[in-house]
């Protein structure tokens, strides 16, 4: 597209407003977003030097739009006219590894009835595209963005699966590893063969001068297994930036060609029938000497540019921010200031996840209450993914000033949490592992399945019914929170049947150095088969409890995410209380994080709108709430969903 064509488009848009001319759907979206696309592009790339690349980008947009399958284009248009489907109370997700869930893509399709029965209609499939053999960071070292790894099947298998998912009104999310490629990716191969053009797609240097300047302020992501942020490549005889692992090369988005090429890769993924694109490691996208190269303004501009272009080509597809960063930084990935709402429509609520684990360890909700009430409100058209566990480790991204205000020393408190979950406190029932402990600053993360971290593994070993019951209540309570808090609940496959830690990774040479595999188990279909036969087993109790809560969520429009949540500062620091509001209807969720019964006074309950007569019921039991001497008791780890009838 040249300047004359661009002028014609803008003129036509102006005339259309006056009713003189009709533009195609594509031209309308391009005209609406064009000003912002241009602004964002030239704020990253100097106009004088890179003007030709801007017109290359416009041509690319048209080509990518024309390449979009017609049925997906029709779906895009339908979604433009149907509101924000991703904020609905009907959404309930599951994250899974296809091969560990049921062998391959065809095996996954066979299990759609199981997912439907539980109430799952949104699937995050871990990477299924080609990757290096051996170590590949669980598929996040990509050899291709759209070719299906033969281990999982063929592209035709996936297209058949995505079509079946659409027929079932089931939404799909796949990862777009936007920060890096594997060292076997075609660009990296050409770079290693000596192509300066493709070496410029990455951060490559002939000596250590610039890498050493970067290292002064760059943190280490994997200090134990991959210390430092640069690796020497013998083929190129150069240093290449590898912030994650030596086989994952960071992309150089200072080069506009990289952005344009990656936009094409993004659409190749979307055209497989994907509804949500998970932007992996997006906080790292822009690198700058003298900074941590995380959460930089240019990274936000780049994400906004991706979104504006995606809205032109495929407006029915949305973006998820995988930004596991401090709470005040997470909120920014929705977009802020003049660009509010112009980045990702969805983001992981990593703060809530970490705070839930904090409350389990401390038996108090006070840090969670203070933290969530101090985070700015997200844009009205955005939503969260709320989760307890995922394929990754648990990072303790608390805000130090809020930790201090709650009465804790930040360093000592983090050490306590790590010790509680990683086997260093004899009285703790948690069975987790320390991940990537950094002795330089005492930082570390936690791995383990939800059930093992919440004490079920220990309880079963001890055959202690009391502790087993506590663990079951904790598992259900945390899931109850993610199902009722504002956003899309995401259940990690296996958690719905209380799967314990999987220690078999220790015998696998490709996994032994990454203990995150302890919480990446094979789905136990034998346990699933016995759910209705052994109803007193923890797996059955948890599965049936989750199934009931998912149904209740979908039955109440109050759980749609319209920024309609109010978190209360509760007089009892062990109880977490929030209200979901929909016009004149409300549901209050109360969760006791203590191992003893806690109470709330009738006066406080009335002050937040909860009636205390026989017409006020707990939706989970269907029974009226009962007060004892004007106090509402909550048993250990009990949760109530209270509704005034």
């Amino acid at each position: 597209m040249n300047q004359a064509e661009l002028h014609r488009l803008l003129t036509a848009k102006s005339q259309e407003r006056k009713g003189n001319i009709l533009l195609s759907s594509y031209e309308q979206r391009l005209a609406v977003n064009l000003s912002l696309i241009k602004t964002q592009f030239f704020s990253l790339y100097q106009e004088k030097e890179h003007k030709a690349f801007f017109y290359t980008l416009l041509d690319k947009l048209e080509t990518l739009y024309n390449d979009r399958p017609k049925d997906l284009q029709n779906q895009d248009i339908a979604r433009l006219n149907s509101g924000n489907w991703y904020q609905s109370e009907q959404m309930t997700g599951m994250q899974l590894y296809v091969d560990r869930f049921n062998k391959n893509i065809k095996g996954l399709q066979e299990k759609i009835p199981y997912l439907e029965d539980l109430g799952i209609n949104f699937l995050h499939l871990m990477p299924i595209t080609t990757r290096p053999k051996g170590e590949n960071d669980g598929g996040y070292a990509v050899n291709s963005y759209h070719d299906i790894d033969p281990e999982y099947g063929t592209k035709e298998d996936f297209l058949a699966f995505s079509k079946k998912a659409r027929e079932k009104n089931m939404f799909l999310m796949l990862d777009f590893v936007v920060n890096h490629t594997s060292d076997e990716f075609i660009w990296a191969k050409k770079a290693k063969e000596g192509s300066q053009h493709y070496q410029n797609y990455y951060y490559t240097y002939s000596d250590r001068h610039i890498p050493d300047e970067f290292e002064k302020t760059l943190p280490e992501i994997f200090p134990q297994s991959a210390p430092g942020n640069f690796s020497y490549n013998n083929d190129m005889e150069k240093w290449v930036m590898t912030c994650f692992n030596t086989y994952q090369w960071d992309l150089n988005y200072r080069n506009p060609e990289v952005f344009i090429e990656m936009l094409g890769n993004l659409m190749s993924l979307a055209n497989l029938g994907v509804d949500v694109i998970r932007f992996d490691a997006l906080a790292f996208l822009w690198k700058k000497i003298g900074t941590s190269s995380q959460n930089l303004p240019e990274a936000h501009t780049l994400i906004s540019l991706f979104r504006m272009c995606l809205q032109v080509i495929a407006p029915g597809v949305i973006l998820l921010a995988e930004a596991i960063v401090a709470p005040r930084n997470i909120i920014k990935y929705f977009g802020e200031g003049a660009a509010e709402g112009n980045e990702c429509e969805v983001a992981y609520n990593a703060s809530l996840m970490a705070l839930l684990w904090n409350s389990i360890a401390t038996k108090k909700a006070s840090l969670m209450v203070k933290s969530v009430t101090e985070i700015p409100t997200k844009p009205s058209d955005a939503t969260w993914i709320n989760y307890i566990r995922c394929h990754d480790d648990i990072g303790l991204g608390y805000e130090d000033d809020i930790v201090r205000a709650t009465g804790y020393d930040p360093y000592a408190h983090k050490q306590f949490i790590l010790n509680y979950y990683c086997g260093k406190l004899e009285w703790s029932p948690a069975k987790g592992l320390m991940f990537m402990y950094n002795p330089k600053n005492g930082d570390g993360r936690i791995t383990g399945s939800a059930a093992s971290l919440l004490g079920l593994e220990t309880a079963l070993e001890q055959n202690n019914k009391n502790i087993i019951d506590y663990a079951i209540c904790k598992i259900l309570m945390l899931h109850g929170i993610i199902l009722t808090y504002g956003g899309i609940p995401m259940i990690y496959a296996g958690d719905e049947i209380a799967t314990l830690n999987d220690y078999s990774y220790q015998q696998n040479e490709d996994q032994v150095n990454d203990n995150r595999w302890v919480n990446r188990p094979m789905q136990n279909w034998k346990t699933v088969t016995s759910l209705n036969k052994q109803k007193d087993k923890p797996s059955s109790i948890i599965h049936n409890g989750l199934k009931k809560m998912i149904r209740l969520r979908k039955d109440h429009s109050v759980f749609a995410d319209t920024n309609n949540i109010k978190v209360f500062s509760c007089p009892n620091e062990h109880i977490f209380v929030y209200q979901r509001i929909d016009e004149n209807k409300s549901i209050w969720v109360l969760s006791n994080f203590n191992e003893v019964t806690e109470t709330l006074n009738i006066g406080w309950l009335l002050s937040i709108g909860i009636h205390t007569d026989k017409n006020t019921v707990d939706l989970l039991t269907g029974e009226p709430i009962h007060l004892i001497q004007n106090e509402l008791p909550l048993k250990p780890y009990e949760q109530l969903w209270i509704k005034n009838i």
Side-chain angles (χ1 to χ4, degrees):
M1 179 178 289
N2 57 35
Q3 283 184 300
E5 291 171 320
L6 180 60
H7 177 73
R8 179 200 65 78
L9 177 61
L10 293 175
T11 301
K13 182 61 183 173
S14 176
Q15 291 176 337
E16 186 202 25
R17 293 193 189 102
K18 301 173 185 178
N20 297 330
I21 192 170
L22 291 176
L23 294 177
S24 70
S25 174
Y26 162 75
E27 289 177 321
Q28 289 179 46
R29 294 198 297 274
L30 177 58
V32 168
N33 288 347
L34 190 56
S35 178
L36 186 55
I37 289 173
K38 183 177 181 181
T39 298
Q40 303 291 59
F41 187 88
F42 287 127
S43 69
L44 290 173
Y45 311 112
Q46 289 293 321
E47 183 171 2
K48 186 175 181 180
E49 184 179 351
H50 295 114
K51 193 172 185 178
F53 284 114
F54 177 67
Y55 291 102
T56 299
L57 171 61
L58 295 184
D59 287 335
K60 186 81 168 183
L61 290 174
E62 187 170 8
T63 298
L64 293 174
Y65 173 79
N66 290 330
D67 289 344
R68 178 89 165 144
K70 189 65 179 177
D71 59 333
L72 297 180
Q73 285 188 352
N74 292 336
Q75 180 176 268
D76 292 336
I77 300 302
R79 287 182 179 170
L80 281 175
N81 300 320
S82 62
N84 294 335
W85 52 272
Y86 50 88
Q87 294 181 305
S88 169
E89 75 281 0
Q90 301 299 312
M91 298 292 292
T92 301
M94 178 175 282
Q95 181 192 39
L96 57 87
Y97 282 93
V98 170
D99 55 333
R100 303 183 82 76
F101 191 71
N102 196 33
K103 300 178 182 178
N104 52 33
I105 294 166
K106 288 183 177 179
L108 173 61
Q109 186 164 327
E110 291 172 4
K111 298 301 182 181
I112 286 179
Y114 169 75
L115 298 167
E116 287 183 306
D117 179 68
L118 182 59
I120 302 299
N121 62 351
F122 175 43
L123 293 178
H124 173 202
L125 309 183
M126 301 300 289
I128 56 173
T129 55
T130 54
R131 76 286 306 276
K133 300 300 180 185
E135 286 188 307
N136 54 55
D137 193 21
Y140 286 94
V142 292
N143 287 356
S144 170
Y145 286 97
H146 54 86
D147 290 330
I148 305 299
D149 193 296
E151 178 182 345
Y152 302 100
T154 65
K155 185 174 288 189
E156 287 70 29
D157 291 336
F158 187 82
L159 289 171
F161 171 72
S162 67
K163 181 180 179 182
K164 176 63 70 173
R166 287 194 295 280
E167 292 171 357
K168 296 284 188 177
N169 200 29
M170 186 173 284
F171 302 88
L172 300 179
M173 177 164 74
L174 290 184
D175 289 88
F176 184 58
V177 185
V178 68
N179 177 71
H180 48 261
T181 73
S182 83
D183 60 358
E184 294 181 6
F185 194 77
I186 184 63
W187 301 340
K189 285 182 176 180
K190 291 182 177 180
K192 286 187 283 188
E193 290 169 358
S195 169
Q196 184 64 47
H197 180 81
Y198 285 101
Q199 288 178 10
N200 290 338
Y201 277 36
Y202 303 95
Y203 291 88
T204 60
Y205 304 97
S206 298
D207 58 44
R208 284 287 311 187
H209 176 67
I210 293 179
D212 286 344
E213 288 300 309
F214 268 114
E215 292 285 17
K216 290 177 181 179
T217 53
L218 284 179
E220 293 178 306
I221 308 304
F222 298 136
Q224 292 178 326
S225 60
N229 292 276
F230 289 84
S231 302
Y232 187 74
N233 182 265
N234 289 316
D235 294 322
M236 292 190 299
E237 296 184 340
K238 288 185 175 182
W239 294 90
V240 60
M241 183 178 281
T242 55
C243 288
F244 286 81
N245 288 291
T246 57
Y247 51 81
Q248 290 166 299
W249 289 16
D250 286 62
L251 288 164
N252 176 17
Y253 280 99
R254 291 176 175 274
N255 180 348
E257 285 186 89
V258 172
F259 169 76
I260 295 170
E261 292 283 358
M262 287 296 284
L263 181 63
N265 286 324
L266 173 65
M267 284 311 305
S268 293
L269 190 63
N271 287 345
L272 293 176
V274 180
D275 306 287
V276 186
I277 304 290
R278 178 184 179 273
F279 262 34
D280 180 69
L282 79 174
F284 299 82
L285 290 182
W286 200 267
K287 311 300 195 294
K288 184 183 294 184
I289 289 174
T291 74
S292 66
S293 294
Q294 294 184 36
N295 307 306
L296 295 180
E298 294 89 347
H300 287 282
T301 300
L302 189 61
I303 297 160
S304 178
L305 185 57
F306 269 115
R307 178 174 174 186
M308 292 300 99
C309 291
L310 184 61
Q311 286 185 337
V312 170
I313 308 163
V317 178
I318 62 173
L319 301 179
L320 166 71
E322 192 260 343
I324 312 304
V325 294
R328 292 183 181 120
N329 285 325
I330 292 176
I331 199 80
K332 296 177 182 178
Y333 285 92
F334 294 121
E336 59 179 348
E340 182 179 11
N342 280 336
E343 291 187 38
C344 297
E345 290 92 340
V346 191
Y348 281 117
N349 202 344
S351 303
L352 179 66
M353 180 274 298
L355 289 162
L356 288 170
W357 291 106
N358 177 83
S359 292
I360 288 290
T362 62
K363 303 178 176 62
K364 296 178 181 178
S366 47
L367 181 60
M368 182 156 54
V369 171
K370 190 165 184 61
S371 296
V372 299
T373 54
E374 293 200 10
I375 296 175
T377 303
K378 62 176 174 57
S380 60
D381 64 348
T383 198
W384 294 108
I385 291 273
N386 295 317
Y387 65 110
I388 298 166
R389 288 300 293 117
C390 67
H391 71 292
D392 221 335
D393 54 275
I394 298 173
L396 306 179
Y398 315 129
E399 298 279 9
D400 284 353
D401 58 333
I402 297 177
V403 173
R404 290 190 191 93
T406 314
Y408 300 117
D409 172 76
Y411 178 84
H413 185 66
K414 183 175 288 188
Q415 296 310 302
F416 163 72
I417 299 297
L418 291 172
N419 291 339
Y420 177 90
Y421 286 111
C422 300
K424 295 187 177 182
L425 298 176
E426 288 186 8
W427 54 267
S428 170
K431 278 210 167 185
L433 302 174
M434 186 82 75
F435 181 66
M436 292 296 159
Y437 182 73
N438 190 338
K440 297 176 185 177
N441 57 15
D443 195 17
R445 284 111 78 185
I446 302 160
T447 59
S449 74
S452 292
L453 291 171
L454 291 170
L456 186 59
E457 185 176 340
T458 296
L460 292 172
E461 288 175 353
Q462 296 176 0
N463 195 27
N464 186 318
K465 186 178 186 308
N466 189 46
I467 303 177
I468 291 173
D469 289 343
Y470 278 3
I472 290 171
C473 289
K474 284 187 276 188
I475 293 168
L476 289 174
M477 180 181 71
L478 292 194
H479 279 95
I481 291 173
I482 66 167
L483 282 161
T484 56
Y485 207 80
I488 303 171
M490 182 71 77
I491 299 167
Y492 186 52
D495 284 356
E496 84 282 9
I497 52 172
T499 304
L500 304 178
N501 284 346
D502 178 7
Y503 299 103
S504 65
Y505 80 94
Q506 296 170 342
Q507 281 72 54
N508 187 318
E509 63 179 13
D510 294 330
Q511 300 172 359
V512 67
N513 294 321
D514 185 350
N515 67 24
R516 289 175 298 178
W517 285 100
V518 78
N519 50 258
R520 298 172 180 175
M522 301 292 288
Q523 184 78 354
N524 192 330
W525 292 107
K526 184 177 180 181
T527 296
V528 171
T529 302
S530 67
L531 288 174
N532 293 324
K533 302 173 185 176
Q534 300 176 323
K535 294 188 177 182
D536 60 337
K537 295 290 186 182
S539 55
S540 295
I541 296 170
I542 289 164
H543 184 273
N544 290 333
L546 279 177
K547 185 175 176 180
K548 180 178 182 179
M549 288 192 289
I550 292 169
R551 177 179 57 77
L552 285 171
R553 167 184 165 82
K554 294 185 179 186
D555 285 345
H556 292 85
S557 61
V558 70
F559 294 126
D561 183 18
T562 56
N563 283 349
N564 58 334
I565 185 168
K566 183 176 182 180
V567 177
F568 295 97
S569 181
C570 183
N572 187 323
E573 64 181 354
H574 301 287
I575 302 177
F576 185 44
V577 181
Y578 53 90
Q579 178 184 11
R580 300 301 305 278
I581 307 159
D582 179 25
E583 297 180 346
N584 296 321
K585 297 174 289 185
S586 287
I587 293 175
W588 292 261
V589 179
L590 287 64
S591 305
N592 177 16
F593 278 86
N594 207 355
E595 60 189 0
V596 298
T597 296
E598 296 289 345
T599 62
L600 290 171
N601 180 267
I602 184 175
W604 189 77
L605 294 172
L606 290 170
S607 74
I608 66 170
I610 297 177
H611 300 166
T612 55
D613 56 34
K614 64 181 180 181
N615 293 321
T616 298
V617 301
D618 170 25
L619 293 176
L620 293 174
T621 62
E623 298 293 328
I625 63 171
H626 295 287
L627 274 63
I628 301 175
Q629 295 181 341
N630 289 328
E631 298 279 337
L632 175 65
L634 279 84
K635 292 179 287 188
Y637 306 112
E638 183 178 15
Q639 184 174 81
L640 305 175
W641 295 12
I642 294 178
K643 182 178 181 180
N644 297 329
I645 302 299

